[in-house]
């Protein structure tokens, strides 16, 4: 019979310690021959814990900082058999998993461990659905009344003098919709907070960004807080320092690698070593062979890159109306895909530290072999586990449809397109923002749309 002995238990103290000192829940398994005297001595060294005794075996649920854990493991090595972070246990059911037929290719790519995309986007409806999780979109503002975002987006702070709090450029709204848009979001319920640091021309200053991030550090109340920085400038000590400070306060930071075709370590905030830096990829398909991920020509690279994510021809919310849509390209679009992954993970483990979550992100990312990748840059594609095995990808029975670069047919874009017919062989990529694909009937009737690379949105 299992006996739960609550010798000292205070949730209030535990949460207080978590907030101030970055503690995490651990389960410590003690050796079977532990005497009652040794157990009592061991428990005295803990602040908050729950003791579970099953026969001669004892398990201790404790709230510890990394330093506290290491000290215990060193001091009581003779007593502790194993230790592990407390993890969420879920029913082995697909009841929380659903599918979406009108999703964009980037959403479908990040939940796959390979570039063979299914026709539909499969996702867990619980991703982001936790009041303890919040994403700060530090950008040109967010049109929170957009139908993609209404009910889950609020205004936080405006560092831009002389402009209203809303998004007058569209970049921030687009980024927000990738994170938590009703149609275009990787997650559907993540809480968003707008921090405006760029003006209607998508320009700002380092001081504006420092001001915005400083506000977040001072006002954040979320246990699982994330900052998305789809912006950048040349290396800045001030910007890197404030981002590092946010991370030291337990806030997760995801930054765009930049669109300068250069080493990301030369730019800020991409060069912050404790943050998560995201480079951009597209998807290429040669008729008769498998699709491959490839590095977008303009994406930054180098050892500061943590993972890659979709950044070519990404559909999201626009600002011309509350139902407007827009297509954008760049590492600015890649970063929010990863921010959504971070938010989804924090849904089940909101107290994870930035270091722990970054380690997890790297551990689950997939080395797919990114074509055109630069030496010294990781080949990991960002991946959000949870729906794999729920479905079987349709490729190659139904090839990737030509509907707008792996997206589904969209009337907004149809008006812009002129139909072209290409040869029945060859490789077609969207390095230059050409939109292409294979129709479901197997013919190569392709569409061509020209989009400008959004370099300006990544600069300050």
């Amino acid at each position: 019979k299992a006996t739960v002995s609550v010798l000292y238990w205070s949730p209030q103290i535990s949460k207080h310690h978590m907030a101030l000192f970055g503690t995490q829940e651990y389960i410590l398994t003690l050796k079977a021959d532990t005497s009652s005297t040794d157990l009592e001595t061991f428990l005295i060294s803990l602040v908050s814990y729950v003791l579970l005794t099953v026969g001669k075996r004892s398990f201790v649920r404790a709230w510890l900082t990394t330093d506290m854990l290491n000290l215990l493991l060193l001091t009581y090595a003779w007593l502790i058999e194993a230790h592990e972070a407390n993890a969420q246990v879920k029913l082995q059911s697909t009841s929380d998993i659903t599918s979406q037929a009108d999703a964009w290719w980037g959403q479908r790519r990040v939940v796959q461990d390979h570039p063979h995309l299914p026709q539909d986007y499969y996702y867990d409806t619980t991703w982001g659905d936790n009041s303890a999780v919040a994403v700060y979109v530090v950008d040109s503002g967010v049109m929170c009344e957009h139908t993609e975002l209404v009910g889950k987006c609020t205004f936080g702070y405006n560092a831009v003098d002389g402009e209203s709090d809303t998004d007058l450029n569209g970049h921030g709204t687009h980024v927000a919709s990738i994170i938590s848009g009703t149609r275009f979001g990787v997650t559907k319920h993540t809480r968003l907070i707008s921090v405006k640091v760029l003006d209607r021309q998508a320009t700002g200053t380092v001081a504006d960004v420092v001001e915005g991030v400083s506000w977040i550090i001072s006002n954040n109340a979320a246990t699982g807080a994330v900052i998305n920085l789809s912006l950048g400038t040349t290396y800045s000590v001030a910007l890197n320092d404030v981002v590092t400070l946010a991370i030291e306060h337990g806030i997760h930071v995801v930054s765009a690698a930049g669109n300068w075709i250069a080493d990301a370590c030369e730019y800020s905030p991409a060069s912050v070593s404790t943050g998560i830096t995201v480079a951009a990829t597209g998807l290429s398909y040669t008729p008769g062979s498998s699709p491959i991920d490839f590095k977008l020509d303009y994406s930054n690279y180098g050892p500061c890159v943590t993972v890659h994510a979709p950044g070519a021809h990404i559909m999201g919310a626009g600002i011309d109306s509350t139902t407007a849509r827009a297509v954008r390209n760049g590492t600015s679009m890649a970063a929010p895909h990863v921010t959504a992954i971070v938010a989804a993970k924090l849904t089940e483990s909101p107290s994870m530290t930035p270091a722990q979550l970054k380690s997890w992100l790297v551990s689950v990312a997939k080395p797919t072999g990114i074509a055109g990748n630069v030496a010294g840059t990781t080949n990991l594609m960002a991946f959000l586990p949870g729906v794999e095995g729920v479905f079987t990808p349709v490729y190659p029975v139904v090839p990737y449809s030509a509907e707008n670069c792996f997206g589904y047919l969209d009337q907004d874009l149809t008006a812009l397109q002129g139909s072209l017919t290409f040869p029945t062989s060859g490789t077609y990529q969207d390095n230059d923002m050409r939109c292409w694909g294979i129709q479901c009937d197997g013919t190569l009737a392709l569409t061509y749309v020209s989009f400008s690379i959004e370099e300006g949105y990544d600069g300050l």
Side-chain angles (χ1 to χ4, degrees), residues 104-353:
W104 213 242
W105 81 270
Q107 296 160 275
R108 288 178 278 152
R109 180 64 188 89
V110 295
V111 296
Q112 297 305 303
D113 57 5
H114 49 70
H116 291 179
L117 305 188
Q119 285 183 304
D120 293 350
Y121 171 52
Y122 289 80
Y123 66 95
D124 191 324
T125 57
T126 66
W127 287 342
D129 192 7
N130 186 330
S131 60
V133 178
V135 172
Y136 294 91
V137 181
V138 180
D139 213 290
S140 60
V142 179
M143 179 191 278
C144 289
E145 64 271 24
H146 196 287
T147 54
E148 285 281 319
L149 307 170
V150 69
K152 47 197 168 185
C153 172
T154 57
F155 167 74
Y157 187 74
N158 184 359
V160 180
D161 292 334
E163 278 199 2
S164 63
D165 297 335
T166 192
D167 184 5
L168 302 179
N169 175 272
H171 188 265
T173 300
H174 192 277
V175 165
S177 70
I178 297 171
I179 300 168
S180 191
T182 300
R183 175 185 175 187
F184 301 114
V186 175
T187 70
K188 307 300 181 182
H189 304 291
T190 301
R191 185 161 56 101
L192 304 170
I193 300 173
S194 171
V195 176
K196 182 170 179 173
V197 298
L198 304 177
D199 63 19
R200 67 178 66 235
Q201 303 301 324
T203 59
T205 68
V206 169
D208 292 334
V209 182
V210 169
E211 182 180 339
V213 175
S214 297
W215 179 86
I216 295 170
I217 295 171
S218 299
N219 292 273
N220 173 56
T223 303
V226 192
I227 295 175
N228 186 93
L229 293 169
S230 287
L231 46 78
T233 186
T234 52
Y235 191 92
S236 165
V237 173
L239 183 51
N240 278 17
D241 280 357
V242 76
V243 169
T244 300
L245 185 61
I247 295 169
E248 290 174 351
H249 276 73
I251 301 173
H252 308 264
V253 179
V254 180
S255 301
N259 297 341
W260 290 284
I261 323 174
D263 188 340
C265 295
E266 298 175 2
Y267 294 85
S268 294
S271 54
V272 175
S273 61
T274 51
I276 296 168
T277 299
V278 188
T281 60
L283 200 61
S284 174
Y285 174 66
T286 300
S289 64
S290 297
I292 59 172
D293 299 304
F294 69 95
K295 173 191 173 295
L296 293 181
D297 285 351
Y298 49 82
S299 176
N300 281 1
Y301 50 81
C304 287
V305 171
T306 309
V307 290
H308 294 78
H313 195 88
I314 304 299
M315 177 73 86
I319 61 168
D320 289 341
S321 71
T322 56
T323 59
R325 287 171 281 188
V327 174
R328 291 178 182 265
N329 309 277
T331 57
S332 277
M333 282 58 257
H337 282 89
V338 176
T339 294
I341 293 175
V342 171
K345 180 61 177 176
L346 289 172
T347 303
E348 62 179 41
S349 303
S351 62
M352 286 185 78
T353 67

Side-chain angles (χ1 to χ4, degrees), residues 38-59:
D38 289 340
L39 177 60
E40 184 177 351
T41 301
F42 173 71
L43 295 176
I44 290 174
S45 63
L46 303 177
V47 177
S48 293
Y49 63 85
V50 173
L51 173 66
L52 172 64
T53 301
V54 185
K56 295 182 179 181
R57 176 74 72 173
S58 294
F59 303 90

